[in-house]
Amino acid sequence: MLQEYQYEEIYLSYALDDYPEDRHHFMHIHDRCEIFFILSGDISYLVEGSHYTLDSYDLMIMRPAEAHRAKILNSTRYERYVINLPLSFVDRIDPEGRLKQPFNQRPLGKGNLYRFSESEARMILKLFQDMNQKTDEYERNLSIRTHLPLLLDMIYRKYKEQECIDSMPPSLGERIILYVNRHIFEDLSIPGLASHFYLSPSQFSRVFKQATGSSPWDYITQKRLTAAKKKIRSGIPAQKAGIDCGFSDYSTFYRAYRKRYGIAPSSNRISSVP
């Protein structure tokens, strides 16, 4: 069961799988922030090399271009709400940018999980239900404009409470993810990356998939496409955006972009960035 709603550039969904299968869930990357609220399910979440085991009413946040994947541990009822929103929405309601801090003022793949008190969780559930279950379009839009800032404020306040960086040394997978992201637009190769970490290509690919749920090249390509899409939407010509973001030539970029988004790169050119 899937219910979806789009308001301007904000996407909301409610999904219920009675018998979820892990093979239907893949690593993915958005050009918007994501708020994920689980109601039930036996799952873990992979975010840029970090593994999170989730309980009911846990909340996850991801910033733009932060790779993530749900991993189904057991085929029990899996129910969740998801919101994807552009940073521009946050800018409109918070010019100082405080509500963006939980998303963009933390290391990649760290601080994604939020656990609230029982009363707070009930309030969050009510916010999601109101935003998703209104039948009148105007009332639904109104609830999004009023409820989403409340949800962002709750996340921000919890972020300030638990504001600390994980002191554990990074795992090999996390170190690989960090290195790849630092060099994402450079001329990368699996043998070269593997050699840097004193691994064979097959060992490197295995560690990478365990950390992200994705093959190295799928991860790198999605990261590059997301960055290129943002550049194009800011007004940069598609060809330049593709080359700047690590594609060797425009035809390779064009094919990858069309396969990923279903449209030509130039079709995404608009005057502002979400």
Side-chain angles (χ1 to χ4, degrees):
M1 176 181 178
L2 177 64
Q3 298 173 348
E4 300 175 287
Y5 184 74
Q6 185 91 19
Y7 167 67
E8 295 181 350
E9 292 191 83
I10 299 171
Y11 166 82
L12 302 91
S13 72
Y14 163 80
L16 170 62
D17 297 322
D18 286 319
Y19 304 101
E21 296 183 45
D22 189 59
R23 63 188 177 92
H24 295 149
H25 296 266
F26 306 94
M27 185 278 293
H28 53 284
I29 297 171
H30 304 292
D31 59 357
R32 288 172 276 188
C33 297
E34 178 169 308
I35 303 172
F36 171 94
F37 187 59
I38 183 170
L39 304 183
S40 65
D42 188 6
I43 74 164
S44 65
Y45 231 84
L46 301 179
V47 186
E48 300 287 4
S50 294
H51 293 239
Y52 298 94
T53 299
L54 302 190
D55 296 323
S56 296
Y57 305 111
D58 281 350
L59 186 144
M60 296 282 295
I61 65 169
M62 277 69 67
R63 66 171 177 256
E66 198 166 27
H68 52 284
R69 179 193 191 274
K71 186 169 181 61
I72 306 300
L73 304 178
N74 190 18
S75 293
T76 57
R77 180 186 175 97
Y78 177 32
E79 186 177 15
R80 66 275 188 197
Y81 285 105
V82 174
I83 296 177
N84 293 105
L85 68 149
L87 288 171
S88 58
F89 176 83
V90 186
D91 291 334
R92 290 198 297 269
I93 61 176
D94 174 25
E96 290 188 7
R98 297 187 184 185
L99 297 180
K100 292 193 295 188
Q101 291 179 16
F103 295 92
N104 59 17
Q105 290 194 14
R106 55 178 174 77
L108 201 64
K110 299 294 184 183
N112 301 89
L113 175 61
Y114 285 77
R115 289 194 165 121
F116 293 87
S117 68
E118 184 178 346
S119 61
E120 290 171 329
R122 284 199 301 268
M123 181 177 178
I124 290 172
L125 177 59
K126 184 66 167 59
L127 292 174
F128 274 103
Q129 289 173 335
D130 282 354
M131 287 188 287
N132 281 269
Q133 294 177 1
K134 298 286 188 184
T135 55
D136 178 88
E137 184 174 2
Y138 179 82
E139 288 190 5
R140 190 199 294 256
N141 294 346
L142 184 61
S143 71
I144 293 170
R145 292 195 299 268
T146 56
H147 290 20
L148 188 48
L150 289 175
L151 178 58
L152 291 168
D153 183 64
M154 291 183 71
I155 293 170
Y156 169 71
R157 292 180 186 279
K158 182 63 68 173
Y159 164 78
K160 297 301 288 185
E161 286 178 14
Q162 62 188 40
E163 194 173 15
C164 62
I165 302 301
D166 191 348
S167 59
M168 293 291 291
S171 66
L172 174 60
E174 291 171 332
R175 288 191 286 115
I176 288 173
I177 299 304
L178 181 61
Y179 181 85
V180 169
N181 276 277
R182 283 176 176 168
H183 302 274
I184 195 72
F185 300 145
E186 298 175 16
D187 185 16
L188 300 176
S189 71
I190 303 305
L193 289 168
S195 176
H196 181 82
F197 289 96
Y198 303 100
L199 299 170
S200 69
S202 61
Q203 288 173 322
F204 178 86
S205 295
R206 184 168 60 252
V207 171
F208 197 96
K209 188 158 190 176
Q210 288 173 346
T212 65
S214 166
S215 69
W217 271 119
D218 185 46
Y219 177 95
I220 292 167
T221 300
Q222 286 201 46
K223 286 273 184 171
R224 289 174 172 177
L225 287 172
T226 302
K229 183 180 181 183
K230 182 177 181 180
K231 285 178 176 288
I232 293 168
R233 300 186 84 178
S234 72
I236 294 174
Q239 185 166 2
K240 177 173 171 50
I243 299 301
D244 286 350
C245 292
F247 290 91
S248 58
D249 55 73
Y250 183 70
S251 62
T252 301
F253 170 60
Y254 181 92
R255 289 194 301 271
Y257 198 99
R258 194 169 186 89
K259 180 179 179 181
R260 170 72 176 160
Y261 299 116
I263 56 175
S266 56
S267 301
N268 252 323
R269 188 168 183 175
I270 60 175
S271 58
S272 62
V273 183

